Amino acid sequence: MREYIRHRLSESLQKCNFKVDEITIEKPKNPKFGDYTTNAALMIANRAGLKPREAAEKIIENLNYDIKLIDKIEIAGHGFINFYISDSYYFWVLNEILKKKEKYGLSEINKGKRANVEWVSANPTKPLHAGHGRHICLGKSISNLLEWSGYKVIREYYYNDAGNQMKVLAESVYARYMQIMEPGFPFPENGYHGNYITEIAKIIYEKEKEKYRNNYNESYFKSEAENYNFKSIKNTLEKLGIRHDVFFNESDLYKNGNIENVLKEFKKRNLSYISDDAVWLKIDESGERDKVIVKSSGEPTYRLPDIAYHIEKIKKGYDLIVDIFGSDHLDTYKDVLHGAAALGYDIKNIRVIIHQMVTFKVKKESNGMNEEVKHTTKMSGRSGKTYLLDDLIDEIGADATQFFFIMRSAPAHLVFDIDLAKEHSEKNPVYYLQYAHARICSIIRNAKDNFKTEYEKFLNPENIKPDEHLKTKEEIDLIRIISDFPEVILNAANEYEPHILISYLNQVAEKYHIFYHNHRVLNNEEINLSVSRLLLCFAVKQVLKNGFDALGISAPESM
RNA sequence: GCGCCCGUAGCUCAGCCGGAUAGAGCAUCAGCCUUCUAAGCUGAGGGUCAGUGGUUCGAAUCCACUCGGGCGUACCA
């Protein structure tokens, strides 16, 4: 509809000889200003030497449009042109929803294109903690949204199984293993401290007893620890319904010589130099921002394999490559992109999403007083315990976890109110949405069980014309809002912002609850009205369901 | 110091590629269940859009500066 108006408008503008670079057509906040509005007249008035209202009149005179779609066009305010869309258009959309069902809202704009989304990519050195949640849930929803915009999405996990960290991990486990037999055995200075390390050591001891006592086998301890951690990570992801298509092993980059090749290329193009026995990558003229890519010890820093990895992704020819990072990785991705670009690779298809950190808020009852306790991302209080993502999911459920982590725009800091998320009541914003869906399911069940005639007509609605029966404000508002769904979901995908979809679905649920409160759906006396309302309910249910799918939350049949 | 992000109702946040009266949830207060789920609906109060200056028909939105907060600025990942 927006595009229709845009086309008609530019035709008219051409006829009037008005030149304008970009006309904006938007939905006014206030419904009394119509369904769509344009400021075209205000934009061109100055240049055309006309008053805005005069320009608006001229535009309308030359406007050619279908009166079946547009009821009326008005000039308002200083020179806004407001379009009022006819109800028959919205009833046509209602029919479309009922036809397209689970495909309603699926865009074809990116049909045939492939997108690679890489996220999570946590190192198998420790279990996922709650702070990881935002990253994980954002990536899940963004991947879904891209699918709704038409992409074939490849979900990828960059598996970082090389480098120094794994060595430290193995040594940490070995130390705990030894401590079972010799409590005084020294723990490595920069070792991993979590309880899970001790847990892994115990498992090894039970399996192998004293086989490795004073007989350190790095690769054995490494692989035991790695497997344990990765299993735990995958298990947590599984709870959130996340499955990756590709696990890309960092170590492969070493095995197949990619790292070395990239290093050679840098050298050949004079983009790197040696200083203090380390290899540095040139970033800019000043040299102040140059970064070490190979340490003096001969080991690469993480930047080098990251560059090689991104080059691999670019070579695969994706139409879109999405990287999702927390703000703590801010500087590194710039170096990585810079490195790839410096070697002549095209980085224009790479889109980097940076999200801010999370603060968790918990209210604790202590001594009868309410004490508000805030934890930061790392959630490592004095107790030494970290708050695991797993525990969060177990405590508040997968849907609330998903919802709360994506309910704010990525660049904004997020305060996660755990008590609110836990609340199984009207306070919890997740349930507001899901409840609307469950209510509809309940009505459909009721129809099936107690309104046989209506239900059969509903399944076979050939002779039912909803536009003859749905006349009230609540019904029309509802039809209007669900007709926006394709536009909104595409917008959320283009912006990589799931929260756009959340606020929209909130409006849908709100309109539905109002409708529900004011009108009874099933009614023995007015069969066709009941069936028409059933059809409307079904369409709303479909929009909610499709939206939940893109967000990554479930659509409960009952609550 | 430098780079990125944020500053909007008591709290958490939308709105930000300029548009008409700045919105939502929570919290507070007042109403609505013999009828398909009250996890719902209706109403009320609550604002110097951090500040100052600029750009223009018009600024929460764009620009500059100031003040606050977060993150980064490693031969850690």
Side-chain angles (χ1 to χ4, degrees):
Chain A
M1 181 48 76
R2 190 189 295 264
E3 287 316 303
Y4 175 82
I5 294 173
R6 189 185 299 281
H7 278 113
R8 294 291 164 265
L9 261 179
S10 27
E11 277 171 21
S12 167
L13 289 170
Q14 255 181 10
K15 272 198 233 165
C16 301
N17 272 324
F18 290 149
K19 285 226 165 106
V20 64
D21 323 315
E22 184 93 2
I23 48 174
T24 67
I25 296 166
E26 50 186 46
K27 298 197 169 243
K29 284 173 233 159
N30 191 327
K32 85 175 183 208
F33 297 127
D35 298 301
Y36 289 93
T37 184
T38 179
N39 59 355
L42 286 96
M43 300 292 285
I44 54 125
N46 261 357
R47 260 182 281 175
L50 292 168
K51 285 183 181 168
R53 289 193 76 103
E54 289 170 4
E57 275 166 32
K58 243 188 138 181
I59 293 172
I60 295 175
E61 266 172 44
N62 287 284
L63 200 64
N64 205 348
Y65 62 90
D66 188 341
I67 51 163
K68 270 184 281 180
L69 294 177
I70 297 175
D71 270 349
K72 63 172 176 176
I73 300 175
E74 273 181 4
I75 304 171
H78 302 295
F80 292 99
I81 303 174
N82 298 336
F83 297 84
Y84 295 79
I85 307 304
S86 72
D87 288 350
S88 60
Y89 166 74
Y90 291 109
F91 280 102
W92 174 81
V93 176
L94 176 63
N95 202 38
E96 285 292 298
I97 301 173
L98 297 172
K99 269 201 301 212
K100 289 188 177 160
K101 297 207 171 79
E102 69 282 349
K103 295 230 165 92
Y104 177 64
L106 181 63
S107 172
E108 303 211 330
I109 216 165
N110 295 312
K111 201 175 176 182
K113 294 189 191 166
R114 293 185 314 142
N116 177 291
V117 181
E118 181 236 316
W119 91 109
V120 188
S121 304
N123 305 328
T125 53
K126 49 179 178 284
L128 296 170
H129 61 76
H132 282 115
R134 186 170 200 197
H135 175 90
I136 290 168
C137 294
L138 265 175
K140 176 185 170 191
S141 184
I142 287 170
S143 305
N144 293 350
L145 281 169
L146 290 174
E147 268 170 353
W148 277 90
S149 81
Y151 281 106
K152 160 101 178 96
V153 174
I154 290 92
R155 293 163 173 81
E156 187 156 323
Y157 189 122
Y158 177 59
Y159 191 71
N160 204 327
D161 56 350
N164 192 46
Q165 35 150 3
M166 299 307 292
K167 202 191 262 173
V168 176
L169 175 69
E171 285 164 6
S172 306
V173 174
Y174 177 66
R176 293 292 187 225
Y177 167 78
M178 285 301 292
Q179 284 172 355
I180 294 173
M181 298 158 283
E182 304 169 19
F185 193 86
F187 191 75
E189 207 176 313
N190 294 319
Y192 290 93
H193 280 273
N195 294 332
Y196 65 99
I197 298 289
T198 318
E199 198 53 41
I200 300 167
K202 265 190 213 155
I203 292 170
I204 290 174
Y205 181 79
E206 268 155 39
K207 268 201 300 198
E208 305 290 350
K209 300 298 175 203
E210 304 205 357
K211 181 174 170 191
Y212 294 101
R213 182 168 188 170
N214 292 319
N215 179 21
Y216 181 46
N217 178 331
E218 183 182 289
S219 72
Y220 173 77
F221 280 89
K222 200 157 128 181
S223 81
E224 284 294 306
E226 177 178 339
N227 291 341
Y228 178 93
N229 286 327
F230 193 43
K231 210 171 142 192
S232 132
I233 290 170
K234 280 216 267 202
N235 189 38
T236 306
L237 293 176
E238 188 71 30
K239 281 189 188 174
L240 289 166
I242 296 171
R243 285 215 186 114
H244 289 83
D245 306 303
V246 177
F247 291 89
F248 189 99
N249 286 325
E250 181 189 9
S251 52
D252 287 351
L253 293 168
Y254 290 87
K255 281 184 208 147
N256 60 25
N258 279 350
I259 305 260
E260 213 152 310
N261 289 338
V262 170
L263 207 50
K264 269 189 214 154
E265 277 298 310
F266 278 138
K267 199 174 166 190
K268 200 169 111 191
R269 294 173 187 235
N270 200 25
L271 296 165
S272 62
Y273 59 91
I274 295 175
S275 172
D276 297 332
D277 291 334
V279 183
W280 293 69
L281 176 64
K282 288 183 191 170
I283 302 288
D284 58 20
E285 291 302 312
S286 73
E288 282 167 18
R289 306 172 63 85
D290 292 356
K291 294 283 160 36
V292 169
I293 50 176
V294 182
K295 297 185 244 178
S296 53
S297 65
E299 289 169 329
T301 65
Y302 63 94
R303 281 173 220 263
L304 183 57
D306 265 14
I307 292 169
Y309 170 55
H310 276 79
I311 289 172
E312 282 302 291
K313 284 203 284 194
I314 293 168
K315 279 185 180 164
K316 282 181 186 145
Y318 294 110
D319 299 287
L320 177 69
I321 295 172
V322 178
D323 281 348
I324 302 174
F325 290 130
S327 62
D328 50 341
H329 286 242
L330 240 175
D331 266 24
T332 74
Y333 89 85
K334 287 185 189 157
D335 299 337
V336 170
L337 293 188
H338 177 269
L343 293 180
Y345 292 97
D346 187 357
I347 57 169
K348 73 169 189 303
N349 289 343
I350 300 183
R351 173 72 200 243
V352 179
I353 317 259
I354 301 285
H355 62 85
Q356 294 298 310
M357 304 319 251
V358 186
T359 306
F360 291 92
K361 194 176 88 178
V362 203
K363 234 179 225 167
K364 271 191 182 156
E365 300 279 331
S366 65
N367 304 329
M369 304 234 313
N370 270 341
E371 181 198 354
E372 224 169 59
V373 184
K374 287 192 175 181
H375 297 274
T376 52
T377 314
K378 268 134 199 157
M379 297 294 285
S380 46
R382 293 233 174 93
S383 59
K385 281 183 198 159
T386 46
Y387 190 28
L388 298 182
L389 182 55
D390 231 33
D391 297 337
L392 179 68
I393 298 168
D394 289 346
E395 202 166 351
I396 69 175
D399 284 344
T401 303
Q402 176 70 28
F403 187 91
F404 272 73
F405 275 126
I406 63 174
M407 74 197 284
R408 305 300 181 208
S409 71
H413 193 93
L414 172 74
V415 174
F416 195 118
D417 186 336
I418 293 180
D419 294 301
L420 182 61
K422 222 173 10 182
E423 189 104 33
H424 283 245
S425 78
E426 76 278 2
K427 290 179 200 162
N428 194 321
V430 194
Y431 299 120
Y432 188 74
L433 300 183
Q434 294 185 323
Y435 185 54
H437 186 269
R439 268 183 154 176
I440 297 173
C441 293
S442 170
I443 292 178
I444 293 174
R445 277 193 303 269
N446 187 23
K448 196 175 177 180
D449 296 342
N450 304 317
F451 294 80
K452 292 257 159 45
T453 327
E454 285 82 349
Y455 188 67
E456 268 156 36
K457 278 197 172 185
F458 162 68
L459 293 178
N460 235 331
E462 268 90 42
N463 299 317
I464 303 293
K465 292 190 176 130
D467 51 324
E468 286 172 10
H469 303 101
L470 305 179
K471 302 281 189 196
T472 67
K473 180 181 186 302
E474 291 78 14
E475 289 158 333
I476 301 295
D477 279 355
L478 200 43
I479 299 173
R480 284 173 179 237
I481 190 96
I482 58 178
S483 74
D484 287 341
F485 180 64
E487 198 171 283
V488 174
I489 195 168
L490 183 59
N491 184 237
N494 288 338
E495 302 288 327
Y496 306 89
E497 283 286 18
H499 88 276
I500 291 176
L501 184 57
I502 288 188
S503 24
Y504 167 77
L505 291 173
N506 237 309
Q507 290 176 50
V508 175
E510 183 189 13
K511 301 275 186 223
Y512 184 76
H513 288 309
I514 294 172
F515 159 79
Y516 180 93
H517 186 258
N518 286 292
H519 304 287
R520 201 185 149 84
V521 173
L522 296 170
N523 180 341
N524 275 320
E525 275 134 47
E526 295 170 283
I527 291 178
N528 287 345
L529 176 63
S530 298
V531 177
S532 297
R533 284 183 175 160
L534 264 180
L535 291 171
L536 175 56
C537 287
F538 189 82
V540 173
K541 170 168 127 73
Q542 195 68 61
V543 167
L544 290 173
K545 172 88 172 54
N546 295 0
F548 293 172
D549 179 75
L551 294 181
I553 62 173
S554 69
E557 305 262 314
S558 67
M559 288 172 72

